[in-house]
Amino acid sequence: MTVKVQTPVLVEETSTAQLEQVRRFKVGLALLSVYVIWGSTYLALRIGIETMPPFFLTGTRFLIAGGLMFAFLRLRGAPMPTGKEWRNAAIIGTLMLGFGTGGVAFAEQWVDSGLAAVAVAVVPVWVALFTGLTGRWPTRMEWVGLVIGLAGVGLLNLENGMRANPQGAAALILGPICWATGSILSRHLALPKGFMASAVEMIGGGAVLMTASLLLGERLTQTPSLPSVLALIYLITFGSWIGFSAYMYLLKEVRPALATSYAYVNPIVAVALGAVFVGERITPVGIVAMLVILSGVVMVAFGREKQNA
């Protein structure tokens, strides 16, 4: 009599389950990083630009963060990106970090950090809209969420800080559009493997920002203060190495709606930190706009989930 041994199948099933548990842990950790850390970077940007020009600050941040990460990964044996991968990563870095993050820093010269975070909360709305260009058009509920979210952006522009500074308002509209575009493209373009993609994207974005700084004639008019220097260090370590890398990992592992769900939490964190540390106050109009935008974002997220159920 022959006895069939099924142990290899059981081992394979156990291994698959363990890998899925590890993946879920990594996704949860990455989500926590973008939820909390990125909510705090708005305040760090606000402190940094007190004694450093915005494009110089963000360009320095990404060139240092990307350069050091690139060197570390190469020393660990990571392959050199191909010319195509460098080009694609530079495109993503320009859109997300150059226009996206650089635009936020530029706007925070006039707009409170909490208000900037509220404006950026509309990113998932743009992501859902642009995803339609790849063949996955929004569901009916998502369309409603898109309209509500964009209406919230319009309402936000009635807030005193935004209305008084049209250039800051324009930057906070263009920035999220570019960030959403880069997020969608990153799922379709050939990029370096693993964290090397983040490193090259930061180098590309940082180079664009430093070029903009030179062309605009930005210069240090004073020695950077200790708080500004500490803010820059925080943006490099936590905001870039941890936060941005976590976000790029999420874009590869989960749906765009979940990857951009940090928009639910970031405004709350940013408003709270701005109020505690620098005395920022958000007006009733700003609060209503935040609620409207977040309502639209939630409808966009759940609209896609309902369709996939």
Side-chain angles (χ1 to χ4, degrees):
M1 183 175 66
T2 302
V3 178
K4 296 182 179 181
V5 180
Q6 297 182 342
T7 303
V9 176
L10 295 176
V11 171
E12 182 178 350
E13 291 177 351
T14 301
S15 177
T16 301
Q18 290 175 339
L19 289 174
E20 180 59 22
Q21 288 180 344
V22 172
R23 176 186 172 276
R24 290 182 178 181
F25 175 78
K26 289 181 178 179
V27 168
L29 194 61
L31 284 171
L32 181 63
S33 297
V34 295
Y35 284 173
V36 179
I37 292 175
W38 271 3
S40 65
T41 56
Y42 292 92
L43 177 61
L45 283 172
R46 174 70 182 275
I47 295 173
I49 62 175
E50 288 179 353
T51 57
M52 285 185 273
F55 295 129
F56 174 84
L57 170 71
T58 49
T60 301
R61 164 193 177 181
F62 291 123
L63 283 178
I64 292 177
L68 291 177
M69 180 181 286
F70 179 86
F72 174 77
L73 292 173
R74 288 288 292 153
L75 289 174
R76 293 291 299 273
M80 175 68 74
T82 65
K84 183 179 181 180
E85 290 173 340
W86 272 103
R87 181 201 65 192
N88 292 341
I91 292 173
I92 301 301
T94 298
L95 288 169
M96 298 181 66
L97 305 177
F99 289 99
T101 305
V104 171
F106 176 78
E108 285 196 34
Q109 294 177 103
W110 308 282
V111 178
D112 286 349
S113 60
L115 200 60
V118 173
V120 176
V122 79
V123 162
V125 173
W126 292 115
V127 167
L129 185 59
F130 295 155
T131 300
L133 299 177
T134 66
R136 296 181 62 192
W137 287 105
T139 64
R140 182 177 300 177
M141 183 180 293
E142 283 183 305
W143 277 116
V144 174
L146 288 171
V147 173
I148 292 176
L150 294 177
V153 173
L155 180 61
L156 186 62
N157 278 272
L158 298 177
E159 210 277 345
N160 291 335
M162 300 280 278
R163 188 173 65 249
N165 300 282
Q167 50 194 351
L172 289 178
I173 292 175
L174 178 62
I177 291 175
C178 291
W179 183 276
T181 303
S183 296
I184 296 299
L185 287 178
S186 70
R187 298 173 63 90
H188 301 281
L189 296 180
L191 296 171
K193 301 299 182 183
F195 290 118
M196 182 60 80
S198 298
V200 178
E201 286 159 0
M202 285 189 281
I203 292 173
V208 169
L209 286 163
M210 290 303 289
T211 300
S213 177
L214 290 172
L215 292 176
L216 293 173
E218 287 187 344
R219 59 178 57 86
L220 292 172
T221 58
Q222 58 181 304
T223 302
S225 67
L226 178 59
S228 290
V229 173
L230 292 177
L232 175 60
I233 294 173
Y234 180 82
L235 289 168
I236 290 171
T237 54
F238 288 88
S240 297
W241 286 342
I242 298 176
F244 184 68
S245 296
Y247 180 66
M248 298 309 296
Y249 168 78
L250 289 171
L251 286 175
K252 296 295 184 183
E253 293 292 325
V254 302
R255 296 176 296 105
L258 180 58
T260 57
S261 63
Y262 66 86
Y264 308 156
V265 183
N266 281 180
I268 300 171
V269 174
V271 169
L273 292 177
V276 171
F277 289 100
V278 294
E280 293 181 350
R281 296 195 313 178
I282 190 167
T283 67
V285 173
I287 293 174
V288 172
M290 178 168 63
L291 294 176
V292 172
I293 290 173
L294 294 183
S295 297
V297 169
V298 169
M299 291 189 71
V300 166
F302 282 94
R304 178 62 63 183
E305 288 181 352
K306 184 176 181 180
Q307 184 191 53
N308 293 338

